[in-house]
Amino acid sequence: MISEYDIKKAVVDTLRRNFEYPVYEFGLVEGMKFPCLFARAWGKGEIETRNIYHQDYTVEIVMMYGKNEKGTEAAVLKDMGKMRQAFLTHLKTEQRLLPVSDFDTDYTGERGNIPRFLFNLDFYESLYEPETGEMMEEVEIEFREE
């Protein structure tokens, strides 16, 4: 089954392939190098049927730029386009491609100048596990007449 770890790893791997910026965990406030990215994923799951598990995750990515950088707005707009291209349709994990839905871009922060990207991953997984025992090779059946 795909876990939060798998999703976060896929998000970070995709960010590193598409951007040269460091990727940090939310909550880090010291030692950052600008520009940088923050990523996190959270979700829930529920059993739909005996063999099907429904998972629904939300991914949040925030881009931070340094205070003294020139041309930040142009850089932000270019990076927003790159982010959209990287995550608009799917997220590739080690096990499979997950469909992306509700991709949204907005701004956060005290001044409303920090780009934030949110999207959902909504998918189903099988809980079925095949038997691991040996298959029967021969069967002998005896009938008795009464």
XYZ file of all heavy atoms in Angstrom, residues 48-99:
427
model
N -13.453 0.628 1.776
C -14.680 0.779 0.990
C -15.449 -0.544 0.922
O -16.648 -0.570 1.083
C -14.348 1.238 -0.432
C -13.837 2.653 -0.514
C -14.943 3.682 -0.412
O -16.000 3.500 -1.042
O -14.726 4.669 0.307
N -14.740 -1.588 0.608
C -15.321 -2.934 0.565
C -14.312 -3.859 1.245
O -13.274 -3.412 1.720
C -15.563 -3.406 -0.891
O -14.291 -3.572 -1.533
C -16.412 -2.425 -1.671
N -14.613 -5.121 1.227
C -13.729 -6.080 1.890
C -12.306 -6.040 1.316
O -11.339 -6.247 2.041
C -14.314 -7.483 1.734
C -13.516 -8.530 2.413
C -14.186 -9.857 2.317
N -13.326 -10.854 2.917
C -13.643 -12.080 3.089
N -14.828 -12.512 2.714
N -12.814 -12.925 3.633
N -12.174 -5.765 0.022
C -10.862 -5.811 -0.630
C -10.366 -4.473 -1.165
O -9.332 -4.426 -1.808
C -10.891 -6.820 -1.793
C -11.060 -8.230 -1.302
O -10.507 -8.598 -0.270
N -11.836 -9.016 -2.012
N -11.104 -3.384 -0.957
C -10.731 -2.092 -1.534
C -10.559 -1.041 -0.434
O -11.420 -0.875 0.427
C -11.796 -1.590 -2.536
C -11.986 -2.590 -3.678
C -11.437 -0.215 -3.078
C -10.778 -2.769 -4.571
N -9.435 -0.338 -0.499
C -9.115 0.729 0.455
C -9.055 2.054 -0.304
O -8.316 2.181 -1.279
C -7.776 0.424 1.118
C -7.436 1.322 2.279
C -8.192 1.294 3.444
C -6.350 2.180 2.218
C -7.869 2.102 4.530
C -6.021 2.989 3.298
C -6.787 2.948 4.448
O -6.466 3.750 5.514
N -9.821 3.037 0.136
C -9.871 4.354 -0.502
C -8.948 5.298 0.254
O -9.082 5.457 1.462
C -11.308 4.885 -0.491
C -11.428 6.261 -1.028
N -12.235 7.203 -0.452
C -10.859 6.874 -2.092
C -12.152 8.328 -1.130
N -11.317 8.154 -2.125
N -8.019 5.940 -0.466
C -7.089 6.879 0.154
C -7.288 8.271 -0.440
O -7.478 8.419 -1.640
C -5.638 6.430 -0.055
C -5.359 5.105 0.638
C -3.908 4.918 0.922
O -3.308 5.689 1.642
N -3.340 3.860 0.356
N -7.225 9.281 0.408
C -7.414 10.660 -0.006
C -6.352 11.510 0.696
O -6.394 11.654 1.912
C -8.826 11.128 0.369
C -9.135 12.521 -0.110
O -8.408 13.040 -0.976
O -10.114 13.103 0.388
N -5.393 12.019 -0.062
C -4.299 12.807 0.492
C -4.339 14.231 -0.047
O -4.806 14.472 -1.157
C -2.939 12.197 0.110
C -2.635 10.928 0.835
C -2.923 9.686 0.275
C -2.053 10.952 2.094
C -2.646 8.517 0.942
C -1.768 9.785 2.771
C -2.073 8.571 2.190
O -1.794 7.413 2.860
N -3.809 15.158 0.738
C -3.602 16.530 0.304
C -2.111 16.817 0.381
O -1.451 16.437 1.346
C -4.373 17.525 1.194
O -5.765 17.224 1.114
C -4.140 18.956 0.746
N -1.598 17.484 -0.646
C -0.189 17.867 -0.687
C -0.123 19.384 -0.720
O -0.869 20.032 -1.463
C 0.517 17.276 -1.927
C 1.948 17.789 -2.031
C 0.494 15.757 -1.880
N 0.766 19.951 0.095
C 0.977 21.392 0.123
C 2.451 21.675 -0.142
O 3.328 21.060 0.469
C 0.583 21.974 1.481
C 0.823 23.458 1.588
C 0.438 24.022 2.952
O 0.245 23.226 3.903
O 0.363 25.246 3.065
N 2.704 22.597 -1.058
C 4.066 23.019 -1.385
C 4.101 24.538 -1.286
O 3.241 25.222 -1.846
C 4.471 22.571 -2.800
C 4.380 21.052 -2.927
C 5.878 23.075 -3.133
C 4.465 20.544 -4.343
N 5.092 25.062 -0.589
C 5.255 26.508 -0.440
C 6.631 26.883 -0.971
O 7.623 26.204 -0.697
C 5.114 26.934 1.038
C 5.451 28.398 1.217
C 3.709 26.644 1.532
N 6.682 27.996 -1.742
C 7.943 28.524 -2.282
C 8.323 29.776 -1.512
O 7.507 30.673 -1.366
C 7.795 28.897 -3.744
C 7.585 27.766 -4.667
S 7.519 28.374 -6.358
C 8.467 27.118 -7.136
N 9.553 29.821 -1.035
C 10.041 31.004 -0.321
C 11.193 31.610 -1.122
O 12.083 30.894 -1.572
C 10.553 30.618 1.070
C 9.512 30.046 1.986
S 8.474 31.270 2.745
C 9.623 32.088 3.805
N 11.129 32.924 -1.259
C 12.189 33.663 -1.934
C 12.811 34.617 -0.930
O 12.148 35.105 -0.023
C 11.618 34.454 -3.121
C 11.109 33.560 -4.215
C 9.818 33.054 -4.182
C 11.930 33.207 -5.267
C 9.357 32.223 -5.181
C 11.467 32.369 -6.276
C 10.180 31.877 -6.217
O 9.738 31.050 -7.210
N 14.091 34.915 -1.097
C 14.773 35.827 -0.186
C 14.235 37.247 -0.287
O 13.686 37.655 -1.307
N 14.413 38.017 0.772
C 13.877 39.377 0.830
C 14.579 40.328 -0.128
O 13.995 41.290 -0.588
C 14.007 39.918 2.254
C 13.182 39.172 3.254
C 13.418 39.707 4.650
C 12.645 38.877 5.659
N 12.896 39.323 7.020
N 15.834 40.077 -0.435
C 16.609 41.043 -1.215
C 16.759 40.676 -2.688
O 17.512 41.317 -3.397
C 18.003 41.206 -0.597
C 17.922 41.742 0.814
O 17.031 42.516 1.140
N 18.843 41.321 1.661
N 16.069 39.639 -3.139
C 16.225 39.233 -4.527
C 15.493 40.184 -5.461
O 14.377 40.594 -5.207
C 15.695 37.811 -4.736
C 16.554 36.779 -4.054
C 16.062 35.384 -4.334
O 15.527 35.159 -5.420
O 16.217 34.539 -3.453
N 16.130 40.506 -6.564
C 15.513 41.365 -7.577
C 14.764 40.474 -8.564
O 15.153 39.344 -8.813
C 16.588 42.153 -8.314
C 17.444 42.974 -7.393
C 17.189 44.418 -7.618
C 18.165 45.215 -6.780
N 17.592 46.287 -6.094
N 13.713 41.000 -9.149
C 12.961 40.246 -10.144
C 12.202 39.076 -9.576
O 11.989 38.087 -10.261
N 11.818 39.164 -8.317
C 11.152 38.040 -7.663
C 9.819 37.706 -8.320
O 9.500 36.539 -8.500
C 10.951 38.336 -6.166
O 12.225 38.580 -5.584
C 10.307 37.168 -5.464
N 9.044 38.708 -8.711
C 7.734 38.427 -9.304
C 7.866 37.629 -10.593
O 7.137 36.665 -10.813
C 6.957 39.714 -9.558
C 5.552 39.426 -10.066
C 4.725 40.676 -10.268
O 5.263 41.788 -10.202
O 3.514 40.516 -10.504
N 8.807 38.000 -11.441
C 9.021 37.257 -12.683
C 9.462 35.825 -12.385
O 8.993 34.872 -13.008
C 10.053 37.966 -13.548
N 10.351 35.669 -11.399
C 10.814 34.328 -11.023
C 9.667 33.504 -10.467
O 9.535 32.314 -10.777
C 11.937 34.427 -9.992
N 8.817 34.127 -9.668
C 7.666 33.426 -9.094
C 6.740 32.940 -10.197
O 6.294 31.786 -10.194
C 6.897 34.338 -8.109
C 5.548 33.735 -7.755
C 7.711 34.583 -6.858
N 6.437 33.791 -11.156
C 5.526 33.411 -12.240
C 6.095 32.275 -13.085
O 5.373 31.359 -13.472
C 5.189 34.625 -13.101
C 4.388 35.712 -12.381
C 4.236 36.932 -13.276
C 3.038 35.197 -11.923
N 7.398 32.319 -13.347
C 8.029 31.216 -14.087
C 7.964 29.919 -13.280
O 7.649 28.862 -13.803
C 9.481 31.560 -14.415
C 9.632 32.567 -15.519
C 11.104 32.857 -15.778
C 11.251 33.952 -16.815
N 12.653 34.313 -17.021
N 8.274 30.033 -11.988
C 8.247 28.837 -11.131
C 6.837 28.286 -10.970
O 6.646 27.073 -10.854
C 8.857 29.148 -9.764
C 10.368 29.253 -9.815
O 10.969 28.799 -10.813
O 10.953 29.789 -8.856
N 5.841 29.159 -10.957
C 4.453 28.686 -10.867
C 4.097 27.848 -12.091
O 3.435 26.819 -11.977
C 3.499 29.873 -10.715
C 3.599 30.528 -9.349
S 2.673 32.062 -9.240
C 1.050 31.426 -8.861
N 4.555 28.271 -13.252
C 4.325 27.483 -14.463
C 5.025 26.136 -14.406
O 4.465 25.109 -14.797
N 6.267 26.121 -13.911
C 7.001 24.855 -13.772
C 6.310 23.920 -12.784
O 6.227 22.711 -13.003
C 8.434 25.125 -13.327
C 9.337 25.668 -14.412
C 10.690 26.106 -13.892
C 11.517 24.983 -13.352
N 12.866 25.419 -12.938
N 5.808 24.500 -11.693
C 5.122 23.689 -10.682
C 3.856 23.075 -11.275
O 3.561 21.902 -11.045
C 4.784 24.554 -9.470
C 4.286 23.768 -8.284
S 5.556 22.795 -7.468
C 6.523 24.069 -6.682
N 3.122 23.871 -12.017
C 1.896 23.377 -12.649
C 2.219 22.217 -13.596
O 1.540 21.195 -13.598
C 1.233 24.538 -13.403
C -0.256 24.388 -13.553
C -0.917 25.657 -14.073
N -1.061 26.632 -12.999
C -0.444 27.814 -12.949
N 0.353 28.191 -13.914
N -0.638 28.627 -11.937
N 3.269 22.368 -14.389
C 3.667 21.301 -15.306
C 4.074 20.033 -14.559
O 3.796 18.927 -15.003
C 4.846 21.765 -16.187
C 4.457 22.734 -17.257
C 3.576 22.089 -18.305
O 3.778 20.936 -18.682
N 2.582 22.819 -18.764
N 4.732 20.200 -13.421
C 5.239 19.046 -12.675
C 4.134 18.243 -11.991
O 4.245 17.023 -11.854
C 6.257 19.516 -11.636
N 3.040 18.917 -11.555
C 2.052 18.233 -10.725
C 0.610 18.308 -11.234
O -0.279 17.814 -10.549
C 2.071 18.819 -9.299
C 3.332 18.529 -8.548
C 4.287 19.521 -8.366
C 3.576 17.273 -8.018
C 5.451 19.275 -7.660
C 4.742 17.017 -7.312
C 5.678 18.012 -7.135
N 0.352 18.880 -12.360
C -1.026 19.127 -12.783
C -1.837 17.858 -13.024
O -3.010 17.801 -12.680
C -1.048 20.006 -14.035
C -2.411 20.516 -14.451
C -3.033 21.359 -13.350
C -2.300 21.332 -15.724
N -1.244 16.821 -13.575
C -2.034 15.640 -13.954
C -1.822 14.422 -13.059
O -2.759 13.684 -12.801
C -1.733 15.230 -15.407
O -0.331 14.932 -15.528
C -2.122 16.325 -16.369
N -0.580 14.190 -12.614
C -0.307 12.981 -11.838
C 0.955 13.138 -11.000
O 1.752 14.047 -11.222
C -0.168 11.765 -12.758
C 1.030 11.851 -13.652
N 1.005 12.503 -14.864
C 2.296 11.391 -13.496
C 2.198 12.428 -15.422
N 3.002 11.769 -14.617
N 1.104 12.231 -10.049
C 2.305 12.126 -9.230
C 2.823 10.704 -9.378
O 2.079 9.740 -9.166
C 1.993 12.420 -7.755
C 3.161 12.255 -6.787
C 4.237 13.309 -7.050
C 2.675 12.337 -5.351
N 4.086 10.575 -9.731
C 4.664 9.249 -9.941
C 5.362 8.787 -8.666
O 6.358 9.356 -8.238
C 5.666 9.292 -11.097
C 6.245 7.942 -11.417
C 7.186 8.014 -12.589
C 7.706 6.620 -12.883
N 8.612 6.607 -14.024
N 4.811 7.737 -8.052
C 5.458 7.108 -6.907
C 6.239 5.904 -7.414
O 6.191 5.585 -8.603
C 4.427 6.650 -5.855
O 3.637 5.598 -6.415
C 3.540 7.799 -5.406
N 6.927 5.218 -6.524
C 7.680 4.040 -6.945
C 6.757 2.907 -7.383
O 7.126 2.077 -8.198
C 8.604 3.579 -5.820
C 9.741 4.540 -5.578
C 10.651 4.104 -4.451
O 10.364 3.085 -3.780
O 11.664 4.797 -4.228
N 5.511 2.883 -6.845
C 4.597 1.796 -7.164
C 3.694 2.084 -8.363
O 3.381 1.187 -9.128
C 3.710 1.469 -5.957
C 4.475 0.861 -4.826
C 4.410 1.710 -3.574
O 4.049 2.876 -3.614
N 4.785 1.127 -2.457
N 3.247 3.354 -8.521
C 2.292 3.653 -9.591
C 2.112 5.157 -9.769
O 2.610 5.941 -8.965
C 0.942 3.000 -9.306
C 0.285 3.510 -8.033
C -0.955 2.750 -7.691
N -2.126 3.465 -8.136
C -3.327 3.339 -7.602
N -3.518 2.501 -6.600
N -4.349 4.010 -8.046
N 1.385 5.521 -10.811
C 1.013 6.912 -11.023
C -0.273 7.194 -10.274
O -1.234 6.431 -10.374
C 0.786 7.191 -12.520
C 2.002 7.139 -13.426
C 1.583 7.355 -14.876
C 3.030 8.166 -13.032
N -0.310 8.308 -9.541
C -1.509 8.695 -8.805
C -2.120 9.917 -9.469
O -1.405 10.884 -9.762
C -1.162 9.022 -7.351
C -0.509 7.904 -6.549
C -0.144 8.404 -5.160
C -1.430 6.706 -6.463
N -3.425 9.914 -9.707
C -4.061 11.070 -10.351
C -4.130 12.271 -9.404
O -4.455 12.131 -8.232
C -5.458 10.557 -10.695
C -5.710 9.458 -9.714
C -4.369 8.836 -9.421
